[in-house]
Amino acid sequence: MSTSTSQQAAEAAKQATNEAIDASKSAVDDPKAAKNNVIRQPWMKAALPFINGGLGGMTATTVIQPIDMVKVRLQLAGEGAKTGPRPSPLQVTREIIASGKVMDLYTGLSAGLLRQAVYTTARLGFFDTFMIALTKRAEDKGQKIGFAERAAAGLSAGGLAAMIGNPADLALIRMQSDGLKPKDKRANYRSVFHALTHISKSEGIYALWAGAFPTVVRAMALNFGQLAFFSEAKAQLKTKTDLSSRTQTLTASAIAGFFASFLSLPFDFVKTRLQKQQKGPDGRVPYSSMVDCFRKVAKDEGLLRFYRGFGTYYVRIAPHA
C-alpha cells in the first residue's frame, strides 16, 4: 500500500471517528433531536410497521391468553362424538381452575408471545408494506385504492406470516392441550422453547409445521376480515358519519372482528385438531389432512361443531383487529 493511500485511509478513519463522537455528543445534549433523527432514518421507517405490529400483538396476547386457553379447550371437547359434552366457556374456566390453579389459564403464554412476535410482526409489517406499494401504484394512475387491493394485501400478508409462525402456533396448542392427557402421558412443557425442542426430537423437525395448510388458510381468512374489513369500515365511517376518530376505530374493530371470526373459525377449529393430534400406538393419527378433518368432524360431530365457542373466539380476535 502506498504512503498516499495509507494517509487517505487514516484521514477517512479519523473523519468517521469524529462524526461518531459528534453524534454521541449531540445525543447527550439533545436526546429528543437524536431520537427524531433515528426515527427519520429509512431503515427505521421500514422497520416501524413490523415493530409496532409485534408489540401490539404481544400486548393483546398477554391480556387475552386465558380466553385463548378456553377457546382451545372448547374446540377439543367431545372430539369424535356428536352427542359428547357441550361445555360452556364458564364451565371450562372452572374446570381449569379446579384442576390446578388460576395461573393455569395462562398456560402457553410464552408460546403465544413468541407467536405474536413472529406472526403478528410479519403480518402487519407485510400488510403495511403491500398497502404502501399498492397505494403508490394507484396514485400513479390517478386512482384511489379500493377494497380489492386491501383484501389482496391482507390475504398475502396473512398467508406469508402464518407459514413463518406455524412452529410457535403448534407449540401453543400442544402446551394448552397437554393438561387434557392422563398425568403419566403429559409432556409437561416448561416453556415454548422446551416444547419446540421436545417436538423436534420426538417427532422430527417437520412436525413443527403440522397443520400448516389450515393455519395458512385460517390466517388468510382472518386477515381478510381483520385488515380488509377494518380498513373499509373505517373509510366508510369516516365519510358517512360524524363519529370521533376513536369511536370510528373501535366500531371498525368490532365490525372487522366479527367478519374475521366468522370466516376463520372453521379453519381455526381444524388447525387446533390437527396440531393437537399425535400418533397413537398403531402409528396412525386421527386426521390425515385438513379435508379429512373437515369430513370426519362434519360426519361425527355435526357442522355446527366448527362454530362452537364463537363468542369466545370473537372476544379473542377483536383486540387484534
mmCIF file of all heavy atoms in Angstrom, residues 25-62:
data_model
loop_
_atom_site.group_PDB
_atom_site.id
_atom_site.type_symbol
_atom_site.label_atom_id
_atom_site.label_comp_id
_atom_site.label_asym_id
_atom_site.label_seq_id
_atom_site.Cartn_x
_atom_site.Cartn_y
_atom_site.Cartn_z
ATOM 1 N N LYS A 25 -22.176 13.194 21.179
ATOM 2 C CA LYS A 25 -22.352 14.435 21.938
ATOM 3 C C LYS A 25 -23.730 15.036 21.687
ATOM 4 O O LYS A 25 -24.396 15.527 22.592
ATOM 5 C CB LYS A 25 -21.263 15.438 21.560
ATOM 6 C CG LYS A 25 -19.883 15.083 22.076
ATOM 7 C CD LYS A 25 -18.867 16.135 21.642
ATOM 8 C CE LYS A 25 -17.478 15.811 22.193
ATOM 9 N NZ LYS A 25 -16.477 16.828 21.758
ATOM 10 N N SER A 26 -24.166 14.973 20.423
ATOM 11 C CA SER A 26 -25.473 15.511 20.075
ATOM 12 C C SER A 26 -26.590 14.748 20.777
ATOM 13 O O SER A 26 -27.562 15.333 21.244
ATOM 14 C CB SER A 26 -25.682 15.426 18.562
ATOM 15 O OG SER A 26 -26.969 15.863 18.200
ATOM 16 N N ALA A 27 -26.420 13.419 20.880
ATOM 17 C CA ALA A 27 -27.428 12.603 21.550
ATOM 18 C C ALA A 27 -27.510 12.931 23.035
ATOM 19 O O ALA A 27 -28.577 12.936 23.638
ATOM 20 C CB ALA A 27 -27.112 11.115 21.361
ATOM 21 N N VAL A 28 -26.347 13.236 23.639
ATOM 22 C CA VAL A 28 -26.320 13.579 25.064
ATOM 23 C C VAL A 28 -26.911 14.963 25.290
ATOM 24 O O VAL A 28 -27.717 15.190 26.199
ATOM 25 C CB VAL A 28 -24.872 13.522 25.608
ATOM 26 C CG1 VAL A 28 -24.820 14.058 27.035
ATOM 27 C CG2 VAL A 28 -24.354 12.102 25.550
ATOM 28 N N ASP A 29 -26.542 15.913 24.425
ATOM 29 C CA ASP A 29 -27.007 17.289 24.585
ATOM 30 C C ASP A 29 -28.483 17.448 24.249
ATOM 31 O O ASP A 29 -29.202 18.218 24.900
ATOM 32 C CB ASP A 29 -26.183 18.228 23.681
ATOM 33 C CG ASP A 29 -24.719 18.270 24.097
ATOM 34 O OD1 ASP A 29 -24.442 17.957 25.276
ATOM 35 O OD2 ASP A 29 -23.871 18.611 23.242
ATOM 36 N N ASP A 30 -28.943 16.749 23.234
ATOM 37 C CA ASP A 30 -30.338 16.874 22.807
ATOM 38 C C ASP A 30 -30.889 15.496 22.419
ATOM 39 O O ASP A 30 -30.979 15.159 21.245
ATOM 40 C CB ASP A 30 -30.434 17.822 21.615
ATOM 41 C CG ASP A 30 -31.881 18.236 21.319
ATOM 42 O OD1 ASP A 30 -32.786 17.647 21.929
ATOM 43 O OD2 ASP A 30 -32.071 19.143 20.484
ATOM 44 N N PRO A 31 -31.256 14.686 23.434
ATOM 45 C CA PRO A 31 -31.724 13.315 23.164
ATOM 46 C C PRO A 31 -32.988 13.276 22.309
ATOM 47 O O PRO A 31 -33.188 12.355 21.528
ATOM 48 C CB PRO A 31 -31.971 12.742 24.561
ATOM 49 C CG PRO A 31 -32.127 13.940 25.458
ATOM 50 C CD PRO A 31 -31.235 14.982 24.872
ATOM 51 N N LYS A 32 -33.848 14.281 22.436
ATOM 52 C CA LYS A 32 -35.087 14.287 21.656
ATOM 53 C C LYS A 32 -34.786 14.419 20.168
ATOM 54 O O LYS A 32 -35.364 13.730 19.335
ATOM 55 C CB LYS A 32 -35.979 15.443 22.107
ATOM 56 C CG LYS A 32 -37.355 15.433 21.451
ATOM 57 C CD LYS A 32 -38.241 16.521 22.030
ATOM 58 C CE LYS A 32 -39.627 16.474 21.366
ATOM 59 N NZ LYS A 32 -40.525 17.521 21.922
ATOM 60 N N ALA A 33 -33.853 15.326 19.855
ATOM 61 C CA ALA A 33 -33.471 15.509 18.448
ATOM 62 C C ALA A 33 -32.804 14.255 17.901
ATOM 63 O O ALA A 33 -33.037 13.857 16.759
ATOM 64 C CB ALA A 33 -32.524 16.702 18.320
ATOM 65 N N ALA A 34 -31.969 13.626 18.743
ATOM 66 C CA ALA A 34 -31.295 12.399 18.317
ATOM 67 C C ALA A 34 -32.313 11.292 18.032
ATOM 68 O O ALA A 34 -32.191 10.546 17.066
ATOM 69 C CB ALA A 34 -30.310 11.944 19.390
ATOM 70 N N LYS A 35 -33.332 11.234 18.900
ATOM 71 C CA LYS A 35 -34.382 10.230 18.711
ATOM 72 C C LYS A 35 -35.133 10.468 17.402
ATOM 73 O O LYS A 35 -35.415 9.540 16.642
ATOM 74 C CB LYS A 35 -35.356 10.275 19.888
ATOM 75 C CG LYS A 35 -36.507 9.282 19.785
ATOM 76 C CD LYS A 35 -37.443 9.426 20.972
ATOM 77 C CE LYS A 35 -38.631 8.466 20.829
ATOM 78 N NZ LYS A 35 -39.566 8.613 21.966
ATOM 79 N N ASN A 36 -35.443 11.746 17.138
ATOM 80 C CA ASN A 36 -36.145 12.080 15.897
ATOM 81 C C ASN A 36 -35.314 11.735 14.675
ATOM 82 O O ASN A 36 -35.834 11.291 13.650
ATOM 83 C CB ASN A 36 -36.501 13.571 15.885
ATOM 84 C CG ASN A 36 -37.599 13.909 16.888
ATOM 85 O OD1 ASN A 36 -38.397 13.052 17.246
ATOM 86 N ND2 ASN A 36 -37.640 15.152 17.340
ATOM 87 N N ASN A 37 -33.998 11.938 14.788
ATOM 88 C CA ASN A 37 -33.104 11.615 13.671
ATOM 89 C C ASN A 37 -33.112 10.124 13.384
ATOM 90 O O ASN A 37 -33.096 9.696 12.235
ATOM 91 C CB ASN A 37 -31.672 12.084 13.978
ATOM 92 C CG ASN A 37 -31.537 13.601 13.902
ATOM 93 O OD1 ASN A 37 -32.305 14.263 13.206
ATOM 94 N ND2 ASN A 37 -30.572 14.146 14.628
ATOM 95 N N VAL A 38 -33.134 9.314 14.447
ATOM 96 C CA VAL A 38 -33.170 7.859 14.276
ATOM 97 C C VAL A 38 -34.473 7.435 13.623
ATOM 98 O O VAL A 38 -34.494 6.610 12.700
ATOM 99 C CB VAL A 38 -32.994 7.151 15.642
ATOM 100 C CG1 VAL A 38 -33.232 5.651 15.489
ATOM 101 C CG2 VAL A 38 -31.606 7.398 16.190
ATOM 102 N N ILE A 39 -35.590 8.014 14.083
ATOM 103 C CA ILE A 39 -36.902 7.644 13.555
ATOM 104 C C ILE A 39 -37.022 8.002 12.074
ATOM 105 O O ILE A 39 -37.705 7.322 11.313
ATOM 106 C CB ILE A 39 -38.013 8.338 14.371
ATOM 107 C CG1 ILE A 39 -38.044 7.762 15.794
ATOM 108 C CG2 ILE A 39 -39.377 8.160 13.713
ATOM 109 C CD1 ILE A 39 -39.029 8.442 16.712
ATOM 110 N N ARG A 40 -36.337 9.072 11.677
ATOM 111 C CA ARG A 40 -36.415 9.509 10.276
ATOM 112 C C ARG A 40 -35.549 8.678 9.334
ATOM 113 O O ARG A 40 -35.644 8.815 8.121
ATOM 114 C CB ARG A 40 -35.998 10.982 10.169
ATOM 115 C CG ARG A 40 -36.978 11.956 10.810
ATOM 116 C CD ARG A 40 -36.680 13.381 10.393
ATOM 117 N NE ARG A 40 -37.512 14.326 11.107
ATOM 118 C CZ ARG A 40 -37.121 15.021 12.173
ATOM 119 N NH1 ARG A 40 -35.891 14.855 12.634
ATOM 120 N NH2 ARG A 40 -37.932 15.877 12.765
ATOM 121 N N GLN A 41 -34.705 7.841 9.897
ATOM 122 C CA GLN A 41 -33.839 7.021 9.059
ATOM 123 C C GLN A 41 -34.678 6.063 8.206
ATOM 124 O O GLN A 41 -35.660 5.493 8.698
ATOM 125 C CB GLN A 41 -32.857 6.209 9.910
ATOM 126 C CG GLN A 41 -31.852 7.051 10.673
ATOM 127 C CD GLN A 41 -30.945 7.841 9.748
ATOM 128 O OE1 GLN A 41 -30.492 7.328 8.725
ATOM 129 N NE2 GLN A 41 -30.681 9.097 10.114
ATOM 130 N N PRO A 42 -34.325 5.835 6.950
ATOM 131 C CA PRO A 42 -35.105 4.940 6.069
ATOM 132 C C PRO A 42 -35.277 3.538 6.638
ATOM 133 O O PRO A 42 -36.363 2.948 6.541
ATOM 134 C CB PRO A 42 -34.274 4.923 4.780
ATOM 135 C CG PRO A 42 -33.523 6.217 4.788
ATOM 136 C CD PRO A 42 -33.207 6.482 6.234
ATOM 137 N N TRP A 43 -34.201 3.007 7.236
ATOM 138 C CA TRP A 43 -34.305 1.644 7.769
ATOM 139 C C TRP A 43 -35.281 1.579 8.930
ATOM 140 O O TRP A 43 -35.985 0.585 9.105
ATOM 141 C CB TRP A 43 -32.929 1.129 8.198
ATOM 142 C CG TRP A 43 -32.276 1.932 9.303
ATOM 143 C CD1 TRP A 43 -31.413 2.979 9.171
ATOM 144 C CD2 TRP A 43 -32.446 1.746 10.724
ATOM 145 N NE1 TRP A 43 -31.030 3.463 10.393
ATOM 146 C CE2 TRP A 43 -31.646 2.719 11.381
ATOM 147 C CE3 TRP A 43 -33.183 0.846 11.504
ATOM 148 C CZ2 TRP A 43 -31.572 2.836 12.760
ATOM 149 C CZ3 TRP A 43 -33.108 0.958 12.891
ATOM 150 C CH2 TRP A 43 -32.313 1.947 13.501
ATOM 151 N N MET A 44 -35.355 2.664 9.742
ATOM 152 C CA MET A 44 -36.292 2.677 10.860
ATOM 153 C C MET A 44 -37.731 2.810 10.362
ATOM 154 O O MET A 44 -38.647 2.177 10.897
ATOM 155 C CB MET A 44 -35.952 3.822 11.810
ATOM 156 C CG MET A 44 -36.907 3.934 13.005
ATOM 157 S SD MET A 44 -37.049 2.394 13.986
ATOM 158 C CE MET A 44 -35.482 2.421 14.871
ATOM 159 N N LYS A 45 -37.935 3.634 9.333
ATOM 160 C CA LYS A 45 -39.272 3.771 8.765
ATOM 161 C C LYS A 45 -39.774 2.435 8.230
ATOM 162 O O LYS A 45 -40.952 2.113 8.337
ATOM 163 C CB LYS A 45 -39.252 4.821 7.654
ATOM 164 C CG LYS A 45 -39.111 6.256 8.151
ATOM 165 C CD LYS A 45 -39.162 7.239 6.994
ATOM 166 C CE LYS A 45 -39.049 8.682 7.486
ATOM 167 N NZ LYS A 45 -39.095 9.654 6.363
ATOM 168 N N ALA A 46 -38.866 1.679 7.636
ATOM 169 C CA ALA A 46 -39.247 0.367 7.097
ATOM 170 C C ALA A 46 -39.525 -0.634 8.209
ATOM 171 O O ALA A 46 -40.383 -1.514 8.069
ATOM 172 C CB ALA A 46 -38.140 -0.160 6.184
ATOM 173 N N ALA A 47 -38.797 -0.493 9.333
ATOM 174 C CA ALA A 47 -38.929 -1.459 10.427
ATOM 175 C C ALA A 47 -40.094 -1.153 11.361
ATOM 176 O O ALA A 47 -40.618 -2.059 12.017
ATOM 177 C CB ALA A 47 -37.631 -1.511 11.236
ATOM 178 N N LEU A 48 -40.525 0.112 11.431
ATOM 179 C CA LEU A 48 -41.558 0.503 12.398
ATOM 180 C C LEU A 48 -42.864 -0.290 12.279
ATOM 181 O O LEU A 48 -43.428 -0.689 13.309
ATOM 182 C CB LEU A 48 -41.845 2.003 12.277
ATOM 183 C CG LEU A 48 -40.903 2.917 13.080
ATOM 184 C CD1 LEU A 48 -41.228 4.386 12.815
ATOM 185 C CD2 LEU A 48 -41.003 2.617 14.578
ATOM 186 N N PRO A 49 -43.390 -0.557 11.049
ATOM 187 C CA PRO A 49 -44.622 -1.350 10.978
ATOM 188 C C PRO A 49 -44.468 -2.732 11.600
ATOM 189 O O PRO A 49 -45.392 -3.232 12.249
ATOM 190 C CB PRO A 49 -44.881 -1.455 9.458
ATOM 191 C CG PRO A 49 -44.182 -0.277 8.884
ATOM 192 C CD PRO A 49 -42.962 -0.081 9.742
ATOM 193 N N PHE A 50 -43.290 -3.346 11.426
ATOM 194 C CA PHE A 50 -43.043 -4.660 11.999
ATOM 195 C C PHE A 50 -42.947 -4.570 13.524
ATOM 196 O O PHE A 50 -43.513 -5.391 14.251
ATOM 197 C CB PHE A 50 -41.748 -5.251 11.426
ATOM 198 C CG PHE A 50 -41.814 -5.580 9.965
ATOM 199 C CD1 PHE A 50 -41.624 -4.604 8.999
ATOM 200 C CD2 PHE A 50 -42.096 -6.869 9.542
ATOM 201 C CE1 PHE A 50 -41.690 -4.904 7.654
ATOM 202 C CE2 PHE A 50 -42.162 -7.184 8.189
ATOM 203 C CZ PHE A 50 -41.963 -6.199 7.251
ATOM 204 N N ILE A 51 -42.231 -3.572 14.018
ATOM 205 C CA ILE A 51 -42.053 -3.402 15.465
ATOM 206 C C ILE A 51 -43.388 -3.096 16.151
ATOM 207 O O ILE A 51 -43.742 -3.713 17.155
ATOM 208 C CB ILE A 51 -41.031 -2.279 15.749
ATOM 209 C CG1 ILE A 51 -39.657 -2.665 15.209
ATOM 210 C CG2 ILE A 51 -40.950 -1.994 17.245
ATOM 211 C CD1 ILE A 51 -38.639 -1.541 15.267
ATOM 212 N N ASN A 52 -44.128 -2.137 15.590
ATOM 213 C CA ASN A 52 -45.414 -1.766 16.172
ATOM 214 C C ASN A 52 -46.394 -2.925 16.155
ATOM 215 O O ASN A 52 -47.129 -3.156 17.125
ATOM 216 C CB ASN A 52 -46.014 -0.574 15.412
ATOM 217 C CG ASN A 52 -45.234 0.704 15.635
ATOM 218 O OD1 ASN A 52 -44.556 0.853 16.655
ATOM 219 N ND2 ASN A 52 -45.317 1.634 14.701
ATOM 220 N N GLY A 53 -46.410 -3.663 15.046
ATOM 221 C CA GLY A 53 -47.307 -4.807 14.950
ATOM 222 C C GLY A 53 -46.983 -5.876 15.975
ATOM 223 O O GLY A 53 -47.874 -6.423 16.632
ATOM 224 N N GLY A 54 -45.697 -6.177 16.130
ATOM 225 C CA GLY A 54 -45.285 -7.203 17.093
ATOM 226 C C GLY A 54 -45.596 -6.817 18.525
ATOM 227 O O GLY A 54 -46.146 -7.615 19.294
ATOM 228 N N LEU A 55 -45.270 -5.587 18.904
ATOM 229 C CA LEU A 55 -45.522 -5.131 20.272
ATOM 230 C C LEU A 55 -47.019 -5.078 20.566
ATOM 231 O O LEU A 55 -47.461 -5.456 21.659
ATOM 232 C CB LEU A 55 -44.893 -3.759 20.492
ATOM 233 C CG LEU A 55 -43.357 -3.708 20.503
ATOM 234 C CD1 LEU A 55 -42.864 -2.274 20.639
ATOM 235 C CD2 LEU A 55 -42.800 -4.566 21.642
ATOM 236 N N GLY A 56 -47.802 -4.620 19.593
ATOM 237 C CA GLY A 56 -49.249 -4.571 19.779
ATOM 238 C C GLY A 56 -49.842 -5.959 19.947
ATOM 239 O O GLY A 56 -50.683 -6.195 20.815
ATOM 240 N N GLY A 57 -49.389 -6.899 19.121
ATOM 241 C CA GLY A 57 -49.888 -8.271 19.204
ATOM 242 C C GLY A 57 -49.508 -8.946 20.506
ATOM 243 O O GLY A 57 -50.308 -9.673 21.101
ATOM 244 N N MET A 58 -48.293 -8.705 20.980
ATOM 245 C CA MET A 58 -47.838 -9.320 22.229
ATOM 246 C C MET A 58 -48.606 -8.751 23.427
ATOM 247 O O MET A 58 -48.931 -9.481 24.371
ATOM 248 C CB MET A 58 -46.337 -9.097 22.392
ATOM 249 C CG MET A 58 -45.500 -9.865 21.374
ATOM 250 S SD MET A 58 -43.752 -9.460 21.422
ATOM 251 C CE MET A 58 -43.257 -10.325 22.924
ATOM 252 N N THR A 59 -48.901 -7.461 23.388
ATOM 253 C CA THR A 59 -49.692 -6.853 24.463
ATOM 254 C C THR A 59 -51.096 -7.440 24.502
ATOM 255 O O THR A 59 -51.609 -7.798 25.574
ATOM 256 C CB THR A 59 -49.774 -5.322 24.263
ATOM 257 O OG1 THR A 59 -48.456 -4.776 24.258
ATOM 258 C CG2 THR A 59 -50.587 -4.679 25.386
ATOM 259 N N ALA A 60 -51.722 -7.562 23.332
ATOM 260 C CA ALA A 60 -53.063 -8.138 23.259
ATOM 261 C C ALA A 60 -53.066 -9.588 23.732
ATOM 262 O O ALA A 60 -53.981 -10.026 24.436
ATOM 263 C CB ALA A 60 -53.589 -8.040 21.829
ATOM 264 N N THR A 61 -52.030 -10.355 23.362
ATOM 265 C CA THR A 61 -51.941 -11.759 23.771
ATOM 266 C C THR A 61 -51.853 -11.898 25.283
ATOM 267 O O THR A 61 -52.480 -12.788 25.876
ATOM 268 C CB THR A 61 -50.717 -12.425 23.112
ATOM 269 O OG1 THR A 61 -50.946 -12.534 21.709
ATOM 270 C CG2 THR A 61 -50.475 -13.821 23.680
ATOM 271 N N THR A 62 -51.087 -11.048 25.917
ATOM 272 C CA THR A 62 -50.953 -11.090 27.377
ATOM 273 C C THR A 62 -52.308 -10.903 28.047
ATOM 274 O O THR A 62 -52.612 -11.548 29.054
ATOM 275 C CB THR A 62 -49.977 -9.998 27.857
ATOM 276 O OG1 THR A 62 -48.709 -10.185 27.208
ATOM 277 C CG2 THR A 62 -49.777 -10.073 29.365
#
